[in-house]
Amino acid sequence: MALRVLVCGGGALAHVFAGVIGAVPGTRVSVLTRRPAEWSHSIAVHHADLVIQGKAEATDDPAVAADAVLILVAAPAFAHEAILRRLLPHLQPDTWVGALPAIGGFDLLLRHLAPGHGKVLGSLRAPYNARVLRYGHEVLVTGVVPHLDLVIGSGGDRHDASALLEDALALPLRVIEPFLLATLSPASTIFHAARMFELLIESKPKRQKFYAGWGDAAGRCYLAMDAELAALRRILQCDAPGIDAAGHYGVFEPAALAHRIRSLPGLPDIDAPVFDGMLDVEHRFVREDIPYGLNLAQLLASKVGLPCPAMTSVLATITQAAGPAAASLIALPSHFRFFETGDGTIT
């Protein structure tokens, strides 16, 4: 029997999943997208000198979820709830549902929407950096993680989940716990926020590239918040070796970190969401990383009484730049209340 996989989304990561998984023998891939007519039945994934050609069927009908063994939500965290609500009427008890990466309490959101569904998985980082070359047809992979840190909900067998994902993506996996590590790792939760903070305090009138312009101030900010996240993980007794920023990038000083990030070939050359001190509140880095990452980390730190001056300063600066009109875009999503029990303690 063919392994049925459903990919939800239309961005670069969805294109890579469709092409890579669709090239695995014995696998059938569907793509749930609002623009199915623009998708080819064959997706080309380019990486260095390699071209992978995978087959996929695009549709806007969420009923395809009923046949899926694995569902991968490849969309920003602020789109997760809308996508899951479309899938719920067709979701089968034995289907694994995952987000790669799973920032922002993806497991809690699924538990909130489908209380009896325990098969949930996620990752700390995106497995690929990529950009679409031709929508629905071709995608360029500019970077691949050396291994994927996988978090798995308590309602399913871990070996089953990791074997399934390893077969689909052909990437080495490391299963770590708990699921909260997907939000408390120094990936999206603080990475983009550090660079936004640098741009806001410098207010350079010239349009800046997000990664190529990374400076020492962003490096200092990132490492300071990384240390606070590490302290929070220790207090919450949820940590794993090698997930801190210094360990991930192999550097320990702000200037060296800035140089390392500027020189990474796999990061897309995109414009920053800050121009002349003004914050683009509609930008994905703002709408996803602040409410679903930094805001949540700050909340958890406050609940355990951990002072986090770097995170507090960054969040205050970004919130002020966003202004009152954008308050709802960067506010904590409602499903975060499931991080607390009735007496206010963290679960």
Side-chain angles (χ1 to χ4, degrees):
M1 178 181 288
L3 172 63
R4 297 297 302 265
V5 178
L6 173 62
V7 176
C8 304
L13 200 54
H15 281 71
V16 181
F17 287 156
V20 169
I21 301 174
V24 177
T27 300
R28 295 183 61 185
V29 178
S30 299
V31 179
L32 183 65
T33 171
R34 297 292 191 183
R35 300 159 60 184
E38 299 177 50
W39 281 72
S40 168
H41 294 308
S42 180
I43 310 300
V45 181
H46 301 266
H47 178 53
D49 296 328
L50 178 68
V51 180
I52 297 173
Q53 204 81 30
K55 298 184 180 298
E57 296 289 335
T59 180
D60 190 27
D61 184 1
V64 293
D67 296 325
V69 174
L70 172 65
I71 297 175
L72 293 178
V73 180
F78 54 79
H80 287 173
E81 182 170 356
I83 291 171
L84 290 177
R85 287 189 182 279
R86 294 192 73 202
L87 299 175
L88 284 180
H90 315 285
L91 186 60
Q92 301 301 304
D94 290 334
T95 299
W96 282 99
V97 183
L100 310 176
I103 183 176
F106 183 79
D107 59 329
L108 299 182
L109 176 61
L110 184 61
R111 186 195 309 170
H112 171 50
L113 298 176
H117 197 93
K119 288 193 169 185
V120 55
L121 56 85
S123 67
L124 271 60
R125 296 178 181 270
Y128 311 99
N129 289 321
R131 61 182 176 88
V132 175
L133 297 177
R134 187 159 57 114
Y135 185 84
H137 292 75
E138 292 181 280
V139 61
L140 173 65
V141 173
T142 56
V144 182
V145 293
H147 74 271
L148 194 65
D149 283 326
L150 188 66
V151 287
I152 300 171
S154 59
D157 181 80
R158 295 186 174 192
H159 177 75
D160 176 45
S162 59
L164 182 64
L165 202 60
E166 194 165 34
D167 288 344
L169 298 180
L171 285 174
L173 304 178
R174 179 179 69 156
V175 179
I176 57 178
E177 60 179 2
F179 209 104
L180 182 58
L181 282 175
T183 295
L184 295 186
S185 76
S188 296
T189 296
I190 59 171
F191 184 65
H192 296 137
R195 174 69 171 136
M196 282 187 268
F197 176 76
E198 177 182 58
L199 289 163
L200 286 169
I201 62 174
E202 292 183 350
S203 299
K204 291 183 178 179
K206 183 180 178 181
R207 176 69 70 179
Q208 298 283 303
K209 294 296 184 182
F210 193 87
Y211 298 106
W214 189 287
D216 291 0
R220 286 192 297 273
C221 180
Y222 184 41
L223 291 174
M225 290 194 292
D226 179 45
E228 293 173 354
L229 272 184
L232 179 57
R233 292 194 301 269
R234 288 193 295 269
I235 291 174
L236 295 176
Q237 297 183 338
C238 63
D239 208 353
I243 68 171
D244 60 291
H248 180 76
Y249 289 105
V251 294
F252 301 89
E253 298 295 331
L257 176 63
H259 175 75
R260 174 88 171 112
I261 292 173
R262 288 196 302 267
S263 64
L264 288 174
L267 294 178
D269 184 24
I270 62 172
D271 289 330
V274 178
F275 177 63
D276 197 15
M278 301 295 293
L279 182 68
D280 178 7
V281 295
E282 294 291 343
H283 196 282
R284 171 176 175 164
F285 292 168
V286 180
R287 293 190 60 194
E288 179 171 38
D289 301 340
I290 305 310
Y292 293 86
L294 185 57
N295 228 331
L296 175 56
Q298 178 67 24
L299 170 68
L300 294 178
S302 69
K303 293 296 182 182
V304 298
L306 175 67
C308 293
M311 286 197 287
T312 300
S313 177
V314 171
L315 186 57
T317 299
I318 293 174
T319 300
Q320 182 178 8
S328 62
L329 290 180
I330 61 175
L332 283 164
S334 61
H335 69 267
F336 286 155
R337 67 180 182 272
F338 290 94
F339 269 113
E340 297 181 341
T341 60
D343 61 2
T345 58
I346 298 172
T347 58

